[in-house]
Amino acid sequence: MIVLKEVGKKYKNNWALKNVNLKVNSGEVLGIIGKNGCGKTTLLKIIAGLLKPSTGVIKGITDGISYIPEKPVLIPELSLMDNMRYFASLRNSKKERIYEELEYFQLTEHLSKRPTELSKGLQQRLSMAIALLSEPDVLLMDEPTSGLDAESKNLIMEKIKKLKREKKTIFYVTHDDEEVEAICTSILILENGTVYFHGSVEEFWKEYERYVFATVKLDNVNITRKVSLEELKEIGDVIHVRSVGIREFLAGREGDEIRR
Ligand SMILES: Nc1ncnc2c1ncn2[C@@H]1O[C@H](COP(=O)(O)OP(=O)(O)OP(=O)(O)O)[C@@H](O)[C@H]1O
């Protein structure tokens, strides 16, 4: 179990993270979501040990941790295979592990290509293959499927499901609510560096399912607003109502903030 107690990070005069308290069990996939700049990457880097927190402590971290940054870190001069070999040697990984991951991520026909010759999807698949060489217990992922082709996205998602079954602990930063629903067991919503919500996916929906998007007619113009079910009863001229997804919940709109 990984435990964060009162973790905070200050960059010069700006608190990027404040008072983050979390417990994440093995087998848990924690979806970390929130608007740009809310502190998601800072949180991952602190757990990865790449950044020192300004306040608080983290417990439960072992050597078996891999961080997959948003942009793959690969060695441009080396071929795909040599990148794998190089990182495998750094991590003392067994040779079979190289082939297992290359095969899973369907990279074997690209072995002699350099990273710049690979599509974004192949680069991200390689980055994941490298991160998994050492069979880490904890995996930190920063939007790994953002902007990827469907095949790469599918391979990555299926891999995460497998890692979840193997009881790995996964921190997964995403903007994609479908991914949250497909793979995450719990959700952390950050807002301006503080925890806005932390709980299971079920708890999230229990708390927020009472919000909907309602389209109303106002001065002959159709306006869509996020409203609570209680508010909905008071609104006249409702043309259309639909449920609020996690992404829409986060996106918000001016004047339409959900308040707890
Ligand atoms: N090295 C740094 N020096 C100063 N400020 C920083 C540094 N890194 C991040 N910040 C600031 O800290 C805040 C949180 O940044 P962070 O990258 O963690 O957010 P994020 O939620 O990951 O954003 P995004 O979704 O855009 O990746 C932002 O206001 C950012 O500008």
Side-chain angles (χ1 to χ4, degrees), residues 90-102:
L90 281 187
R91 287 153 205 220
N92 274 334
S93 309
K94 291 183 204 124
K95 248 196 188 137
E96 309 91 82
R97 293 288 305 123
I98 296 182
Y99 292 100
E100 279 168 17
E101 296 304 337
L102 286 174

Side-chain angles (χ1 to χ4, degrees), residues 101-108 110 122 125 151 155:
E101 296 304 337
L102 286 174
E103 260 160 45
Y104 176 82
F105 285 106
Q106 298 175 14
L107 294 166
T108 46
H110 307 284
L122 288 171
R125 275 144 69 174
E151 190 189 7
L155 282 172

Side-chain angles (χ1 to χ4, degrees), residues 3-8 19-23 55-59:
V3 182
L4 275 74
K5 276 193 185 160
E6 300 293 323
V7 168
N19 300 335
V20 176
N21 291 295
L22 271 186
K23 275 185 192 155
T55 63
V57 287
I58 304 173
K59 291 181 182 167

Side-chain angles (χ1 to χ4, degrees), residues 172-216:
Y172 192 86
V173 169
T174 182
H175 282 285
D176 189 327
D177 50 356
E178 281 176 19
E179 286 189 352
V180 171
E181 288 181 37
I183 57 167
C184 295
T185 50
S186 52
I187 300 179
L188 174 74
I189 300 179
L190 292 175
E191 195 175 81
N192 295 327
T194 59
V195 176
Y196 183 78
F197 174 87
H198 176 224
S200 67
V201 176
E202 292 74 26
E203 281 164 346
F204 175 86
W205 285 120
K206 220 166 156 187
E207 187 155 354
Y208 292 106
E209 70 186 351
R210 62 179 192 274
Y211 291 92
V212 292
F213 274 117
T215 304
V216 294

